Amino acid sequence: MSWTTPEDLRAQVQRLWDKGLLLGSLVEGNPLFPRRLALKGPSSSELVEQFEQARTWIAELRRQAHYRMVLREVRHPILGANSIPDQIWVDTLDDATALISKCQEAKRFGELVTLTRACRPLILQWLARYPLRASELAEVWPLLLEVVAWIQAHPSPGIYLRQVDIPGIHTKFIEAHRTVLTELLDLTLPPEAINLQAVGAGQFCRRYGFRDKPLRIRFRILDPRLSWLPGEADQDIEVNHDTFACLETKVERVFITENETNFLAFPNLADSLVIFGAGYGFEMLAKATWLYHLATYYWGDIDTHGFAILDQLRVYLPQVQSFLMDRETLMAHTQQWGEEPQPVRRNLTRLNEAEHELFIDLRDSRWRSRLRLEQERVGFNWVGRALQGLSGSGLP
């Protein structure tokens, strides 16, 4: 029996809710109601053949509230005249939300609409488009509107987020809601107050004219003769990227490694320093033009992501060479092979021939699927021999 049940009717209204149409109508005033629901009942032959089941079906529909049933009369020479459901109507939004037990959610959303219309009407279009997201944010919505109001009153403030002074709102609140605040601010701020080149949650401060925490670069001077710190202290130094860009060093070689242990254990090397890398975040090195004229080596994992990082680094430092990211190193450490979670599948255009061949072998699972050799698994005896092989790389 495929006759429409009360559960089917509720499911039809639930779909309207899931699409945001019910709540959206509170913003835009769309005339969704009265709305006719789809109804399939017994045919004339089924009414005769399954008369008792049909009576039970009608009784179940009658027992339900929050919709209106329109009947039609059916006459039959044996059964006589009978009234059966012909149409089901939901007359109001209140009936619809009651039918699916969403009255409280609808009431709360209506309060958000009233508040937004009173103080930030430009945001109403966002509420109409994303009503379910707004419902999830109902508890913090007034605070979000306060943040928007503050930034509207102080466009491109030129201060750190920590300096935003809104009673009851902590900096962490703004940071935690950067995605939705970006959408709301883009609707409310004038174009000149938005840096359209800054995209993504990580660029929130740049996009709206706040000061960003300075990027910091950590490095070690590997040649004791060039030490900056007194005594025999380890030359482990961290500076912001602007200071790094202005450094005056006498080094001739720079190594970049992604692993902190390798960074800390990197052996002394004449006329050299090592930088603790930051994955794909090499923009911070772009201002350090003094790097452009030095021999530069990148030491990453032997996996597809390691080569993707090398490929991106060459956007900023085209002269960079790979270090210990070769077939010989990979094959010398078969006992240390691991698995890469999500290999890179795209083509990489800045690798040299040997690097590209190894990348293709890894990507296409020549030896095994998702093969990787993490840089920290390369033995330091192997590292020492590789450094000795570099021209003029004596250990001071």
Side-chain angles (χ1 to χ4, degrees):
M1 187 175 67
S2 58
W3 307 337
T4 302
T5 66
E7 289 73 21
D8 295 331
L9 297 174
R10 282 192 288 271
Q12 291 182 51
V13 177
Q14 182 67 48
R15 284 193 288 273
L16 296 175
W17 176 274
D18 293 341
K19 293 178 180 178
L21 296 176
L22 296 187
L23 293 182
S25 68
L26 287 172
V27 184
E28 299 177 327
N30 293 336
L32 286 179
F33 302 97
R35 189 179 188 90
R36 183 177 175 178
L37 302 182
L39 176 68
K40 182 180 180 182
S43 64
S44 297
S45 60
E46 288 175 329
L47 194 59
V48 174
E49 297 167 0
Q50 305 177 54
F51 184 70
E52 287 303 320
Q53 292 94 321
R55 288 182 61 186
T56 300
W57 174 72
I58 295 170
E60 288 178 351
L61 291 180
R62 286 181 180 276
R63 278 197 295 269
Q64 305 302 315
H66 310 303
Y67 55 73
R68 173 169 53 90
M69 191 160 54
V70 177
L71 305 175
R72 66 182 173 91
E73 188 176 90
V74 177
R75 291 183 177 273
H76 192 273
I78 299 175
L79 301 176
N82 290 275
S83 295
I84 67 170
D86 184 53
Q87 300 175 15
I88 298 290
W89 290 83
V90 177
D91 289 326
T92 67
L93 176 62
D94 288 343
D95 286 333
T97 54
L99 184 61
I100 58 174
S101 303
K102 296 290 187 180
C103 293
Q104 289 301 317
E105 290 90 337
K107 179 183 178 182
R108 184 171 55 184
F109 183 78
E111 293 169 351
L112 301 187
V113 173
T114 300
L115 174 63
T116 306
R117 181 171 282 117
C119 63
R120 295 288 170 266
L122 290 175
I123 293 177
L124 287 173
Q125 57 185 299
W126 189 92
L127 287 178
R129 187 174 182 182
Y130 305 111
L132 298 180
R133 284 179 62 193
S135 291
E136 295 173 356
L137 294 166
E139 291 187 6
V140 299
W141 189 255
L143 301 181
L144 291 171
L145 294 184
E146 286 192 45
V147 173
V148 171
W150 190 95
I151 296 177
Q152 278 188 296
H154 306 84
S156 301
I159 62 174
Y160 292 111
L161 278 181
R162 180 67 181 84
Q163 295 175 273
V164 174
D165 189 10
I166 307 174
I169 296 179
H170 194 276
T171 305
K172 292 181 180 179
F173 174 85
I174 300 176
E175 293 173 344
H177 294 90
R178 287 175 297 178
T179 299
V180 65
L181 282 170
T182 295
E183 297 173 13
L184 302 183
L185 290 168
D186 283 356
L187 290 173
T188 54
L189 292 178
E192 61 270 19
I194 303 173
N195 180 354
L196 297 178
Q197 303 303 313
V199 178
Q203 298 290 315
F204 182 88
C205 290
R206 275 190 59 209
R207 188 172 182 85
Y208 303 112
F210 289 92
R211 295 184 66 184
D212 245 329
K213 293 179 181 178
L215 297 173
R216 302 192 68 80
I217 299 176
R218 185 180 175 188
F219 63 95
R220 291 179 59 234
I221 298 174
L222 302 174
D223 188 340
R225 298 170 303 178
L226 306 177
S227 63
W228 291 0
L229 301 177
E232 298 182 359
D234 185 67
Q235 305 296 300
D236 187 346
I237 302 168
E238 186 175 58
V239 297
N240 66 45
H241 67 288
D242 287 330
T243 300
F244 186 80
C246 299
L247 292 182
E248 295 183 5
T249 70
K250 296 181 181 179
V251 300
E252 298 177 359
R253 257 186 310 266
V254 173
F255 296 85
I256 302 171
T257 182
E258 297 295 319
N259 180 268
E260 186 175 24
T261 298
N262 285 354
F263 165 79
L264 293 171
F266 207 98
N268 285 348
L269 197 64
D271 305 313
S272 303
L273 66 77
V274 60
I275 297 173
F276 183 30
Y280 289 89
F282 291 114
E283 297 91 341
M284 62 184 181
L285 299 179
K287 291 184 179 180
T289 56
W290 55 271
L291 288 174
Y292 300 170
H293 312 294
L294 302 181
T296 307
Y297 301 87
Y298 173 72
W299 180 15
D301 296 332
I302 303 181
D303 62 6
T304 62
H305 278 280
F307 284 112
I309 294 172
L310 172 64
D311 182 81
Q312 181 171 333
L313 176 57
R314 283 186 173 139
V315 172
Y316 305 99
L317 298 173
Q319 85 280 12
V320 70
Q321 302 176 57
S322 57
F323 179 68
L324 296 179
M325 297 176 68
D326 51 71
R327 195 178 302 268
E328 183 183 5
T329 300
L330 179 65
M331 293 305 169
H333 294 80
T334 56
Q335 298 299 314
Q336 303 297 329
W337 286 2
E339 183 174 292
E340 182 179 23
Q342 293 182 319
V344 172
R345 299 298 180 188
R346 69 181 185 274
N347 193 31
L348 305 179
T349 61
R350 303 180 188 92
L351 303 182
N352 64 33
E353 184 177 353
E355 294 162 352
H356 189 263
E357 288 178 358
L358 182 52
F359 166 73
I360 294 299
D361 286 343
L362 293 167
R363 187 189 67 182
D364 296 347
S365 306
R366 175 178 177 180
W367 297 285
R368 74 184 196 195
S369 178
R370 300 183 176 186
L371 172 62
R372 80 185 309 182
L373 173 62
E374 295 175 283
Q375 58 193 276
E376 61 266 32
R377 295 184 178 275
V378 175
F380 262 83
N381 287 334
W382 188 271
V383 175
R385 286 195 296 270
L387 292 175
Q388 289 287 358
L390 295 178
S391 177
S393 59
L395 297 174

